[in-house]
Amino acid sequence: MNRDLLGIRQLSTDQITDLLRRSDGYFLQLNSIDPFRKSSLLDGRTVANLFFENSTRTKTSFELAEKRLGATSVNLSMQTSSLTKGESLIDTVNVICAMKVDCVVVRHSSSGVPQLLRKHLPDHIRIINAGDGGHEHPTQALLDAATLQAKLGSLKNKKIVIIGDILHSRVARSNMILLNKLGAKVTLVSPLTLTPKYVEEIFGVRVVHELADEIKDASAVISLRIQFERQSRSLFPNLSDFRMRYGLTPLRIMETNAFILHPGPVNRGVELDNEAADSEKSLILQQVKRGVAIRMAVFEWLFEDK
Ligand code: CP
């Protein structure tokens, strides 16, 4: 039985391929059957969405996936919970789980919270990591891979360039692990100050600090948001300098046929100019559409009996 999805690192290449195949099925269903008829896969199941950090895409798509599979969903957010009165995270989650919950979807600004919950929650409760600090965001990496495969076919030996704030990015970490497992050639382009130490050795990627010609021969570019909320002081001179060195400007996108991805939310005029975010090469809304299908596939995978 697949009990949890805590990170991409836990998944074998076969499991990733299996999840992507399942999500393709859901994606076709979601786009071809109108109105989409609810499945009964999660009938009688209750899923708690515990978002202790803000989210638009991930939270909404998990909720939609749960509804489309027939689950009962409950939602808790940091701002309205008794955490604000001093209740501990573990006590809060135990309270929710005492109400007969089958699965917890958790997002938290601290790395390692899903793993911590695994130690404290009863075995039968499935846990899905919806993004933990700077650690991992497994469903984002899966939906990115699904989006890329839909356009590029096999990702083996495809050059994928990840640009921007790698240091604070859980999306970059999950993507590096996943794209490596699928045989893609990953290049990181980021300022030295936004590049994690030893990232080449740990993740088997190539690292450069100047964009120059890097995207000209790329199959796809994943641009990342600068995570101001995780920086106590600025790690680059100013936004205009960052845009000039690392932003996807109209000139830069004219020089490449690479598809453009971004996990969102986008800082327009910084990582992506409007001409890039809204161009024909942009797959940003395709990523969002794939997000619901991937999360449906993850639920199917977690709740199937082996
Ligand atoms: N990509 C992503 O995690 O976006 P949200 O923060 O809106 O969920």
Side-chain angles (χ1 to χ4, degrees), residues 126-183:
R126 272 76 158 172
I127 300 176
I128 302 177
N129 180 356
D132 64 320
H135 177 224
E136 277 229 39
H137 193 346
T139 55
Q140 179 70 44
L142 286 164
L143 74 88
D144 288 346
T147 308
L148 287 167
Q149 279 193 351
K151 290 291 178 189
L152 301 172
S154 164
L155 300 185
K156 199 165 178 55
N157 292 322
K158 298 277 169 30
K159 181 178 178 183
I160 312 291
V161 178
I162 306 179
I163 307 177
D165 183 357
I166 312 288
L167 184 64
H168 301 101
S169 178
R170 56 195 174 211
V171 174
R173 290 172 69 94
S174 290
N175 263 319
M176 286 189 279
I177 302 167
L178 190 154
L179 291 169
N180 243 317
K181 289 187 192 225
L182 294 185

Side-chain angles (χ1 to χ4, degrees), residues 61-79:
S61 61
F62 266 113
E63 282 184 47
L64 279 174
E66 291 152 19
K67 286 182 170 54
R68 285 170 178 164
L69 294 174
T72 299
S73 300
V74 287
N75 297 302
L76 186 81
S77 64
M78 176 86 168
Q79 295 79 4

Side-chain angles (χ1 to χ4, degrees), residues 51 53-60 107 130-131 137 140 143 170-171 225 262-265 295:
F51 279 70
E53 187 194 275
N54 292 342
S55 167
T56 297
R57 283 146 280 266
T58 312
K59 184 166 184 285
T60 310
R107 165 170 290 196
H137 193 346
Q140 179 70 44
L143 74 88
R170 56 195 174 211
V171 174
R225 182 174 71 88
H262 191 300
R295 280 141 191 152

Side-chain angles (χ1 to χ4, degrees), residues 2 18 26 38 65 106 126 128 140 144 182 188 202 207 242 247:
N2 306 300
D18 177 39
Y26 280 120
K38 226 165 74 170
V106 62
R126 272 76 158 172
I128 302 177
Q140 179 70 44
D144 288 346
L182 294 185
L188 307 182
I202 296 169
V207 177
F242 185 92

Side-chain angles (χ1 to χ4, degrees), residues 161-294:
V161 178
I162 306 179
I163 307 177
D165 183 357
I166 312 288
L167 184 64
H168 301 101
S169 178
R170 56 195 174 211
V171 174
R173 290 172 69 94
S174 290
N175 263 319
M176 286 189 279
I177 302 167
L178 190 154
L179 291 169
N180 243 317
K181 289 187 192 225
L182 294 185
K185 304 276 182 217
V186 179
T187 296
L188 307 182
V189 185
S190 57
L192 191 60
T193 48
L194 290 175
T195 308
K197 280 185 187 162
Y198 311 117
V199 68
E200 292 110 313
E201 292 86 344
I202 296 169
F203 293 98
V205 294
R206 189 174 150 256
V207 177
V208 296
H209 300 297
E210 296 300 331
L211 197 48
D213 294 335
E214 285 302 333
I215 64 172
K216 285 187 180 163
D217 61 345
S219 298
V221 177
I222 303 175
S223 173
L224 299 172
R225 182 174 71 88
I226 299 175
Q227 305 206 16
F228 296 106
E229 72 277 21
R230 297 191 212 282
Q231 298 180 35
S232 52
R233 63 200 156 86
S234 184
L235 293 170
F236 51 89
N238 56 51
L239 292 179
S240 154
D241 179 78
F242 185 92
R243 173 179 172 270
M244 290 313 293
R245 290 184 64 193
Y246 302 103
L248 295 188
T249 58
L251 188 62
R252 286 203 172 109
I253 61 163
M254 273 169 53
E255 293 175 344
T256 178
N257 288 320
F259 291 109
I260 299 167
L261 289 82
H262 191 300
V266 174
N267 294 311
R268 282 180 182 251
V270 184
E271 307 105 38
L272 296 184
D273 280 8
N274 290 339
E275 291 79 356
D278 305 328
S279 83
E280 285 178 2
K281 296 170 195 162
S282 168
L283 300 181
I284 294 172
L285 291 178
Q286 284 299 310
Q287 290 173 271
V288 174
K289 283 188 184 177
R290 291 266 168 191
V292 179
I294 276 290

